[in-house]
Amino acid sequence: MFRRARVMIWAIVIFGINILGLFDPGQISVSAQQPTGSIPTVTGTPSGPVVKIVLGEPQILVYAGPGSFDYPAIGILLAGELAPALGRASGREDWIMIHYPGVPGSIGWVYGNYVSLSPGALLPIVEIPPTPTALSTPTINPTLEAAFIGQQTPTRLPTFTPPPPLDMPSFTDVSQTASVPVGLLILSLGLFGFFGAVISYLRGR
């Protein structure tokens, strides 16, 4: 009788523990060791000299070399974005070379007047990269051109006909054809006229 009562008491106790959730035979509690030190975090802030876009510019272009006419644009730099500064171009010190991932060599160039350099940064002078080769000029297939563009019939240029030769008048020298000198003839006529005038005067008296 006493043994049966003790078994019932243990049954009631186990049943109450299961109801209250204090005992779960399917779970085994394992104590794990917690780390005592701090875990380092990786930050995206570059170390060393950096460049940043000046105020008022939402974005600027990044070029493949120090020049907007000699080199193509390869990307952009947004406002507030930092980029590691690597050097200045030799002979073009207003252009700054930066680390720009995602392009061949991870190198890009920005114009110095559009960015601000970290205070006290001294950048080395680097050589200018070679300019890219010019793209080949595409040619038009002559057969395709003839199919869409009509061929112009060449016109013959007018021939030049020389003018007939000019008839130049010829003049004869009178001094060579006259047998009597011209001066003597004039003097003779003057004398005859004088004598005629004298005779007419005498007859009139």
Side-chain angles (χ1 to χ4, degrees):
M1 184 71 181
F2 179 78
R3 186 176 180 181
R4 183 181 295 178
R6 194 167 70 177
V7 171
M8 290 180 65
I9 292 173
W10 277 106
I12 293 172
V13 171
I14 294 173
F15 181 75
I17 292 175
N18 289 331
I19 291 176
L20 295 176
L22 300 178
F23 177 77
D24 188 3
Q27 293 182 355
I28 301 175
S29 61
V30 178
S31 299
Q33 183 178 1
Q34 299 295 328
T36 57
S38 61
I39 299 175
T41 58
V42 179
T43 59
T45 304
S47 60
V50 294
V51 294
K52 183 175 64 174
I53 299 180
V54 296
L55 297 177
E57 295 291 339
Q59 65 183 26
I60 61 173
L61 293 175
V62 181
Y63 294 91
S68 57
F69 296 101
D70 301 331
Y71 302 89
I74 57 175
I76 60 174
L77 194 65
L78 300 176
E81 185 178 359
L82 302 178
L86 304 178
R88 293 183 181 272
S90 176
R92 300 181 182 178
E93 298 184 3
D94 51 348
W95 285 87
I96 300 176
M97 184 174 68
I98 63 172
H99 178 70
Y100 194 73
V103 298
S106 299
I107 297 297
W109 294 81
V110 293
Y111 190 51
N113 290 345
Y114 293 154
V115 296
S116 60
L117 191 61
S118 55
L122 297 177
L123 300 179
I125 303 298
V126 296
E127 294 296 329
I128 297 177
T131 56
T133 56
L135 298 177
S136 59
T137 304
T139 57
I140 301 176
N141 189 355
T143 306
L144 183 63
E145 180 183 4
F148 291 95
I149 302 176
Q151 296 292 332
Q152 296 182 356
T153 304
T155 56
R156 185 177 179 181
L157 296 176
T159 58
F160 176 74
T161 303
L166 298 176
D167 294 334
M168 300 298 293
S170 59
F171 300 94
T172 57
D173 193 359
V174 181
S175 60
Q176 294 180 359
T177 58
S179 58
V180 180
V182 178
L184 181 59
L185 182 60
I186 294 174
L187 182 59
S188 300
L189 293 176
L191 290 177
F192 281 118
F194 178 72
F195 286 122
V198 172
I199 292 172
S200 297
Y201 176 73
L202 293 177
R203 285 183 178 182
R205 294 185 66 182

